[in-house]
Structures are given as structure tokens and as C-alpha cells.
Amino acid sequence: MGVRARASGAVAAALVLLLAGCSDDGDGESDGRITLRFQSLAWQQESVEANKELVKKWNATHPDVKVEYVQGSWTSIHDQLLTSFEGGEAPDIIHDASDDLADFAYGGYLADLGDLLPERLKSDIPEASWDTATFGGKVYGVPFLQEPRVLIANATWLKKSGVRIPTPEKPWSWSEFRSVTKELGDGDGKFGVAWPLKDPVSATLNLSLSTGGQLFHRRADGKAEIRFEAADEVMPRTVHDQVNIDGSASGSTLGMGGSDTLPGFFGGKYAMVPLGFSYRQQISQQAPKGFDWRVLPAPAGADGLAQGVSPQTLSVAEDSPHKKEAAAFIDFFLRPANMVRLARGDWMLPTGKAALKDPALRTKKDDWATGTALAGQLRPAPAQSVRGYPEWKDKIATPALQEYYSGAIGLDELRERLVKDGNLVLKRYQR
Amino acid sequence: MTRRTSGPARAGQYLALLAYLVFLAFPFLWLISTSFKPARELGSLHPTWIPKDPTLANYRQAFDEQPLLEAAGNSLIAALSASLVAVVIATPMAYVMARHRTLLARAATGWVVVSQAFPFVLVIIPLFLVLKNLHLINSLPGLIMVYVVWALPFALWMLVGYVRAVPTELEEAAAVDGASKLRTLVSVTAPLLAPGIVATALFAFITAWNEFFFALVLLKTPEKQTLPVVLTHFLGAEGAADLGPLAAAAFLATLPSLVLFAIIQKRITGGMLAGAVKS
């Protein structure tokens, strides 16, 4: 071997040793002390502060089990977790949304929390919320925060128009909502409502629960199938007609996200915008001084104010060697007072019954009380446990609904595509 | 012989150039403007270029909430190391591929082109497993290795063009004058390749500086994360964003690339021209 080759070999070996030396062994245990990694997706300032403070509190009172706070991000969370699971490097405690859990649960990446959680926590969260994170009879996440879709309205405009102001006890029906928006719009650049439907599928499915629409049905053999029935038509037809027949809804916002509609809302172009409850935070920060806004319940149908949601969840990785300790941390993290702090930080509703009773979440300020009044009507989003839903959503339902809402296709064509093409997709996942 | 351009044609060219510059500068200027706007101005239906009530609050909040300086340091280490290593490896390889046009060299070039088409998600899991076995998950050296591998094909492709632009006659003349092969490479070829090497290094730097997905997946602890990953912490679910602090942090994130471009702009221009024409 020549001098040059030997030198190259030595450099390569040194490089590998250096690289290995710089790495993290991450075994989660040192000096007999357990270390749990908690990956949180909190992102709003108050929420991050609340998360960090609770972790600090835990660490101060639990010298043997240290929790390490890791800031995650909603962007690419699914791919990031999938890679971590495959590589056996997943965080011990995982923050995610319930509609993202099905694949991980069926893939065997998440621990069944059924026997790990204390009775206090189990009984504090309603059955409907547990259903969002239960797959095949096993509990793969603890749902802890959720938000209904509400109508955020320009209160001055509404008062001036003299329309009946809906309340959770006496909401608008879908047909009343349509006539109110007709009355509010002037057909000349001012609209009764602006639907931000960049992602039209979850909004359509979740709001259609109020009219009894389900779209996804379980057959006797347990397989899912899509049916687009009369109850499924009400919500999409209302939006379509507002945009294309009445001119009471702005067509240009159909391709927008929620935040994109806010300047127009503040600028007096739209009387109402259907948004998630947490958007109140942005509105309270960004609304011009003196802008009077309020939260109204979404329209009701045959099933009242029922609405689909995908709560935020906390799960434990199946590979975690310290599942019991992780579950204990979750129990601590979600005690009623803590749940209230987290909910206020994210401007969302807690799932816990005890937390929901907290006066801080029943105040009129920022219309917390309206949201709290809707909490009992929230149901699991209809499609979240259906395998193949993401593909159906991206390839079939999103373009079909976008075309329907913009008036490019009619209801029959929409039905044909959602059902016929959709069932072909589902079939592939249910062989 | 050069053709003279008429007055109106020249004015048209300048106008087109100006329009192009405005087009390129718009997002950047808008970013700067947004970063100085208070929350209430961000929600205005009639946005203005110059903030009516400029504030540094977004910058303060961005620094308070996220470890931006540490993240920038990590990004800088990763990007500088990756570009340096990529260039050191790619330069001799490119020389061989350009000067010895064998079947193997042609196959290697083909592979380089094909490798650029691989989506990240296709390679991330095997890569993750390999790095895990090397104990290189959650380490900057691991990330740098990935960046080097990722940048190498394109760097190689760029450099092959630059090497081919250096006339072989110059090397032959040096050989006739008695210079050894190594001396020829160091004293004749390398100086002529310098602009190309700088351009390639800059390409590798910017690729690594902006890269998000590998860093997101491979780095676990907050103190190791790079700037693009930390920027996403200002984003919520369904596209919600803390726009002011995000704009402030994003503006800061663009600065190093701009500074680097400003410093070595002349060399890049030279490098690009050198690679553009074959002898």
C-alpha cells in the first residue's frame, strides 16, 4: 500500500470516528434516571409557554423521570413521524391530530393506552372524543384539544341589517343561513359570507354532520363505502347556490385559506367568515381598532349543531421502553387546570369535562362561551378511521368539490365522482 | 464583429431587465415590509409598502420564541461544511470524468442525471436507518454527510462542464515545458477552474442552507435544529401562521445567502461564463 493510500485510509477512519463521536446515543436513560422525549406541536406563543411551563413543573416534581421538551412542527409531521417510527427513533410522547393517527395505529407504531391511563382521565373525556383516537377497539391517543367551525361575523353589519342573531340554543337552519346571506350582500362587491375552501373536504364533511350527512358508511362486513345521499347534499348545495345563484358568497375566496379572508373581512367586504374557533386569536390581534366581531354557531340541520372534529392528541410510541411513565406524564399534563391553560394558549376547546366547566372558558370575552356551548355537539370527523381516505380526499374529493363549488360541474357529476371513483379507491385499501 | 443595438431596442432591453428585477425583488421587499408591520397592519385590506407604524416587535418576538441564532449557527456549519466537502470530492472526480471519456464516465454522468430525479421521501427511510447504524442521527456531521451526498451529483455535473472549458492544449503545453501532472493540475488547471469551483460551492451552500426535510427528520433536539426547521415553528395546522415573526425570521434567514452572493458575485459570473462555453 502506498503512502498516499495509507494516508487516505487514516483520514477516512479519523473522519468516521469523529462523526461517531459527535453523535447522540439517545438511549433515554442515564444514571438510572429515565428521560422521556415529548414532541409538542404547540406553535402559538402562549401555547408554547404553557407547554414548557408544564414540562418544567413535571421535572421539578418528578426527579426520576425527566421530560425533554422537543418543539415539533405541523409541517410534514406525518412524514417526520413515519421516518422516526421506521428508524426506531420516535419521541416517547407524541403530539398530533386524531385524523393522522389511523395509519400509525394500524401500522403498530403507537402503544395501546387502554390500560395505561388512569380512570380519572378516562372518565373526564367524553366517549365521542375517545372515538376519534380509538381504532379496532384500542386507544392510540388522548384527545385533548378541539375546535368547532363557527361563523365569525361583523357584529356592526349584522346589527344594522336587522337579521336574527343566532345563538347555540337557536341557531340558523341552513336555509335561513342562505336567506340571511342574501339579505346581507349587496350584489356589488359586498358579500354575506366568504367561504375559505382551499381545503374543501374536511369543511364539507364535518359541517354535513349537522344535516345527518355521513358520506362514509360501514357495511355489515365492516368495510367502508361512500354514499352521497340527500342529507349529504344540504351543506354543499347551500355553498354552491350562495356562490353561483344568489351571489351572496364570494367566489374568489373559494381557493383561499382561512387567514387569507381576514383582510377582506376587516375591510368590510364580507359580513361573515366560517372559520375554526381558534382563528379568534388572529382576529383579536389583527382586527382594526373598534372592529366589532362576534362568534356565531354554524348553521344547524336535522341533527342540530352536530359537527365533525379531529382533536389534537397525545400518544405514546410503541417502541418507548417507558410507556407507563409516559402515560403518567400525559395524565399530569392533562389535569383539568392544565388543560384549561393549554386550551387558552391555543384558543381552542378542551375535551375534558372538568376543564370545560372552568369560568375562564365560559366568559363572554372573545366569545369563549359560544364555543363552550358547542362542545357537546362535536363528533369524530366522519372519515378519519377510513383507510384510503387521504387518497380519496386528494385525488377525488378535493378537485370534485372545488369544481362543484365554483360552478364548473353540477350535483350529479359531483355525486358520480365522489361515490363511483371514491369507492374504487376505498376498495384497494380494503381487500 | 458586434452588432450595434438601436436606441429604442436598448431602452426596451433595459425596461425588460427592470421588470425582471422588480419581479425578482418583489417577494423579498414584501418580506422586509411585512417584518416591520404591527399585527393590525398585517390584516389590512389595503396593504402598504411602507409600514404606517413600523415596529421591531416581530423581531423581538421571533428571537424570544425561537433560538434563531443557534439555528443560524447550525445552518452555517452544515452549509459551509457540506459545500467545502462536496467541492473537495467533486473537483478531482469531475476532472477525471471530463478528461477521460470512457464508458464508465458516461454511465456515471447518466447516473448523476437520474439521481436528481429521486424524491426525498423515497430515500429518507433507508438513509435514516443507515445513519442510525452509524450513530449519526441527531448530529450535524450526519446531516452534513447527507448534504454532501445530495449536492455531489449536481456539483459534479457542473464541474465537468467547467473542466471541459479549460483547453487541454494548456495542459499539454505545461507538460512540454516539463511540468509534472500534479504541477500542471495545481498551477495551470486549478486557477482556471477557480470561478467554477466557487460557483459550485455556492450552489452546494445554498442547497444546504435552504434544505428543510432532511434536517426536520434527522435532527431531534432543539439545539441541533437548523434555520429552515425552526422557521416552521411559526406555522400552525392548516396553513395558519404567525406572520409577523415568521417574516422577521425569514428575512434574517435570507441574509447570509445575500451577503455571500455580494462578496463573491464577480467570481460566480466568471465561473458561469467559463462553464457555459465549450472549447
Side-chain angles (χ1 to χ4, degrees):
Chain A
M1 193 191 279
V3 175
R4 213 178 299 163
R6 271 204 302 275
S8 311
V11 168
L15 193 65
V16 168
L17 284 174
L18 175 73
L19 292 175
C22 291
S23 69
D24 165 31
D25 54 5
D27 61 359
E29 236 171 296
S30 57
D31 305 331
R33 195 181 180 197
I34 294 169
T35 299
L36 300 173
R37 276 193 305 127
F38 164 39
Q39 180 168 293
S40 164
L41 299 179
W43 68 283
Q44 305 202 58
Q45 196 176 11
E46 301 156 46
S47 172
V48 173
E49 275 167 19
N51 270 261
K52 285 185 176 170
E53 212 168 285
L54 290 177
V55 168
K56 211 169 147 190
K57 224 171 173 182
W58 165 275
N59 286 335
T61 49
H62 295 78
D64 297 336
V65 183
K66 185 190 166 201
V67 171
E68 192 179 276
Y69 179 88
V70 180
Q71 173 92 57
S73 131
W74 286 101
T75 314
S76 303
I77 181 65
H78 187 86
D79 292 335
Q80 191 221 353
L81 282 177
L82 184 63
T83 314
S84 306
F85 285 134
E86 286 284 340
E89 291 281 340
D92 300 274
I93 302 150
I94 296 158
H95 181 184
D96 202 351
S98 66
D99 59 354
D100 197 34
L101 293 187
D103 280 351
F104 296 143
Y106 288 120
Y109 299 122
L110 299 176
D112 176 11
L113 300 175
D115 295 329
L116 293 170
L117 297 171
E119 195 47 43
R120 177 205 72 77
L121 186 59
K122 282 184 189 169
S123 58
D124 187 38
I125 295 174
E127 211 50 48
S129 296
W130 284 117
D131 288 347
T132 61
T134 304
F135 306 97
K138 292 180 178 174
V139 180
Y140 291 104
V142 183
F144 71 109
L145 289 178
Q146 58 187 346
E147 60 173 335
R149 214 169 283 262
V150 291
L151 297 170
I152 307 221
N154 180 328
T156 314
W157 190 337
L158 248 63
K159 266 183 227 158
K160 222 163 119 186
S161 71
V163 299
R164 182 179 78 82
I165 309 286
T167 62
E169 295 74 35
K170 281 192 173 178
W172 286 327
S173 67
W174 281 96
S175 60
E176 192 180 2
F177 172 58
R178 188 178 159 193
S179 48
V180 164
T181 55
K182 253 199 274 189
E183 208 169 311
L184 291 169
D186 67 357
D188 189 26
K190 288 200 167 193
F191 300 93
V193 66
W195 284 96
L197 287 174
K198 189 178 174 185
D199 179 14
V201 183
S202 60
T204 306
L205 291 182
N206 289 341
L207 286 174
S208 286
L209 278 192
S210 69
T211 57
Q214 269 190 289
L215 209 68
F216 290 89
H217 300 265
R218 288 275 171 200
R219 293 193 319 230
D221 60 2
K223 290 182 177 171
E225 70 170 2
I226 299 169
R227 294 202 299 268
F228 189 76
E229 297 167 339
D232 297 293
E233 289 177 11
V234 180
M235 184 270 167
R237 212 178 45 221
T238 304
V239 178
H240 172 273
D241 292 353
Q242 284 173 323
V243 174
N244 299 287
I245 298 174
D246 308 339
S248 60
S250 165
S252 61
T253 64
L254 290 175
M256 290 184 184
S259 304
D260 306 327
T261 58
L262 292 183
F265 178 58
F266 298 145
K269 277 182 81 175
Y270 324 121
M272 289 180 284
V273 190
L275 293 169
F277 194 53
S278 63
Y279 272 89
R280 292 169 307 134
Q281 194 247 5
Q282 280 191 45
I283 291 170
S284 74
Q285 271 189 356
Q286 296 179 9
K289 277 181 189 151
F291 184 85
D292 191 11
W293 57 276
R294 64 177 298 177
V295 176
L296 309 175
D303 281 11
L305 285 165
Q307 190 179 135
V309 283
S310 298
Q312 294 187 18
T313 53
L314 291 175
S315 303
V316 175
E318 177 62 23
D319 279 352
S320 170
H322 308 294
K323 295 188 188 72
K324 227 171 82 183
E325 290 79 3
F329 173 74
I330 292 177
D331 174 42
F332 163 83
F333 195 72
L334 300 183
R335 284 183 191 161
N338 297 343
M339 233 195 230
V340 172
R341 279 211 64 188
L342 294 168
R344 287 177 61 82
D346 263 324
W347 291 64
M348 294 175 102
L349 297 176
T351 54
K353 288 181 266 188
L356 269 172
K357 286 182 190 153
D358 194 289
L361 301 180
R362 294 186 169 263
T363 166
K364 279 190 174 172
K365 186 174 173 350
D366 298 322
D367 276 343
W368 276 100
T370 307
T372 319
L374 301 172
Q377 310 288 333
L378 305 180
R379 310 272 179 270
Q384 63 178 7
S385 62
V386 176
R387 303 198 82 179
Y389 167 72
E391 186 181 335
W392 172 81
K393 181 185 166 196
D394 292 342
K395 290 187 180 162
I396 293 171
T398 299
L401 282 168
Q402 279 170 342
E403 285 175 51
Y404 174 66
Y405 287 140
S406 67
I409 59 170
L411 199 61
D412 290 338
E413 168 85 13
L414 174 72
R415 181 184 294 106
E416 167 98 3
R417 282 164 62 175
L418 293 180
V419 177
K420 201 173 153 199
D421 300 351
N423 280 323
L424 287 174
V425 171
L426 294 196
K427 220 177 227 175
R428 279 199 285 111
Y429 287 84
Q430 301 186 113
R431 274 174 196 150
Chain B
M1 194 173 80
T2 52
R3 234 181 337 167
R4 297 192 71 176
T5 314
S6 66
R10 179 160 295 230
Q13 283 173 352
Y14 278 116
L15 208 63
L17 185 66
L18 187 70
Y20 185 57
L21 285 176
V22 169
F23 174 73
L24 288 182
F26 176 81
F28 184 62
L29 295 177
W30 194 250
L31 185 72
I32 298 174
S33 165
T34 304
S35 73
F36 289 105
K37 284 180 181 171
R40 298 206 187 279
E41 274 190 64
L42 293 173
S44 169
L45 184 59
H46 305 291
T48 51
W49 275 102
I50 311 288
K52 285 181 207 152
D53 193 9
T55 174
L56 287 173
N58 294 325
Y59 287 88
R60 270 198 297 273
Q61 193 183 333
F63 277 103
D64 283 351
E65 278 182 36
Q66 299 299 337
L68 291 179
L69 284 180
E70 290 89 332
N74 291 336
S75 282
L76 204 62
I77 293 170
L80 280 176
S81 311
S83 57
L84 187 73
V85 177
V87 161
V88 167
I89 297 174
T91 307
M93 284 171 75
Y95 184 81
V96 172
M97 283 170 71
R99 289 288 185 253
H100 305 281
R101 298 191 188 191
T102 59
L103 188 67
L104 188 66
R106 274 202 292 275
T109 309
W111 175 244
V112 164
V113 177
V114 171
S115 71
Q116 292 300 299
F118 289 165
F120 281 19
V121 283
L122 193 74
V123 295
I124 190 69
I125 288 175
L127 191 70
F128 192 93
L129 293 171
V130 169
L131 289 175
K132 192 190 165 199
N133 288 333
L134 291 170
H135 298 284
L136 286 173
I137 296 294
N138 199 33
S139 75
L140 281 180
L143 187 69
I144 292 164
M145 274 173 70
V146 175
Y147 286 170
V148 169
V149 172
W150 204 252
L152 208 51
F154 198 78
L156 198 58
W157 201 21
M158 275 176 85
L159 279 169
V160 166
Y162 292 121
V163 175
R164 283 186 187 152
V166 176
T168 49
E169 290 81 358
L170 289 175
E171 292 173 6
E172 286 162 7
V176 170
D177 289 344
S180 67
K181 189 75 182 165
L182 186 65
R183 179 69 190 268
T184 307
L185 283 175
V186 172
S187 304
V188 178
T189 316
L192 292 168
L193 269 183
I197 291 172
V198 171
T200 308
L202 194 66
F203 152 76
F205 177 88
I206 289 171
T207 307
W209 179 264
N210 292 332
E211 200 284 326
F212 164 69
F213 190 60
F214 287 136
L216 174 80
V217 168
L218 297 177
L219 302 174
K220 291 186 291 183
T221 50
E223 62 272 16
K224 301 261 172 73
Q225 287 176 337
T226 57
L227 210 45
V229 176
V230 170
L231 285 183
T232 64
H233 295 165
F234 295 105
L235 297 171
E238 292 184 24
D242 211 349
L243 206 54
L246 175 65
F251 170 55
L252 295 173
T254 56
L255 285 182
S257 302
L258 285 183
V259 170
L260 206 65
F261 258 111
I263 293 171
I264 53 179
Q265 186 193 8
K266 280 186 183 169
R267 284 205 169 253
I268 302 168
T269 317
M272 285 181 173
L273 290 175
V277 184
K278 260 184 18 172
S279 63

